[in-house]
Amino acid sequence: MPNYRRMYGEGGTFAFTLCLADRRRRTLTDRIDIIREAYRATCAARPFRTEAFCVLPDHLHAVWTLPEGDTDYPGRWRGFKLRVTNALGERIWQPRYWEHTIRSDEDFANHVNYVHYNPVKHGLVRDMDEWPHSTWHRWKRENGLTWEMPPEDMHL
């Protein structure tokens, strides 16, 4: 078993990816009602700011900012996964998840863009505006943004 260490920063901003154990399933979008309710309940129980969030059929991405003095994103993800598991009546998650500590404004922008562009990257839609399970719509409205297709050679 590897000796994996997570970075903890009080009030820090982090990017995450959580995946289904069986990546062939579409549970997350097929049961988006459960995902949304579990996410709302997790945020209500242990508040944090969602900077970006996107649910795809077999995985999800998030960028969170924790409150000052708070380092417990693992507890929040544990609570979220448990809520989903209990609502579905089955275990669906890979036991671990990927996290990255945001280190600069450029790093933040890159991760937010990656999260929002992910449905296009995976061929689920041609335009980010078409994907309903994302904070892209809120982000665009709050920041007065428009979206144009990137060049064919753009890789995120």
Side-chain angles (χ1 to χ4, degrees), residues 19-23 25 27-28 35 78 80-96:
C19 299
L20 295 180
D22 182 352
R23 296 290 302 265
R25 295 183 69 183
T27 307
L28 301 183
I35 302 306
R78 191 171 33 257
F80 170 77
K81 288 170 129 183
L82 185 59
R83 286 177 178 90
V84 172
T85 297
N86 289 341
L88 292 173
E90 64 176 316
R91 294 179 185 215
I92 63 166
W93 300 107
Q94 288 183 357
R96 296 187 184 265

Side-chain angles (χ1 to χ4, degrees), residues 6-41:
R6 294 202 182 275
M7 293 284 296
Y8 297 98
E10 292 187 5
T13 301
F14 306 90
F16 304 97
T17 301
L18 281 70
C19 299
L20 295 180
D22 182 352
R23 296 290 302 265
R24 297 168 297 181
R25 295 183 69 183
R26 300 181 51 87
T27 307
L28 301 183
T29 51
D30 287 351
R31 300 305 309 269
I32 194 67
D33 55 329
I34 288 173
I35 302 306
R36 285 184 175 144
E37 180 53 36
Y39 197 81
R40 275 192 289 269

Side-chain angles (χ1 to χ4, degrees), residues 2 11 43 56 84 105 117-119 123 144 152:
C43 190
L56 291 95
V84 172
D105 289 343
Y117 187 73
N118 217 249
E152 290 298 318

Side-chain angles (χ1 to χ4, degrees), residues 51-151:
E51 307 291 355
F53 190 65
C54 187
V55 179
L56 291 95
D58 63 344
H59 69 286
L60 64 82
H61 298 283
V63 178
W64 289 357
T65 298
L66 297 182
E68 279 302 314
D70 192 336
T71 62
D72 191 23
Y73 60 77
R76 288 170 170 87
W77 282 123
R78 191 171 33 257
F80 170 77
K81 288 170 129 183
L82 185 59
R83 286 177 178 90
V84 172
T85 297
N86 289 341
L88 292 173
E90 64 176 316
R91 294 179 185 215
I92 63 166
W93 300 107
Q94 288 183 357
R96 296 187 184 265
Y97 56 88
W98 178 85
E99 62 76 18
H100 168 79
T101 302
I102 301 297
R103 293 178 170 85
S104 67
D105 289 343
E106 181 182 11
D107 194 23
F108 177 82
N110 287 339
H111 280 84
V112 168
N113 289 338
Y114 180 84
V115 167
H116 290 147
Y117 187 73
N118 217 249
V120 176
K121 175 188 169 197
H122 287 283
L124 298 168
V125 292
R126 236 180 106 53
D127 185 307
M128 293 181 333
D129 285 332
E130 298 170 9
W131 192 249
H133 313 304
S134 167
T135 56
W136 163 245
H137 307 281
R138 181 196 78 189
W139 185 266
K140 185 172 79 165
R141 186 175 56 252
E142 289 177 358
N143 293 287
L145 301 176
T146 59
W147 169 250
E148 296 178 15
M149 283 295 291

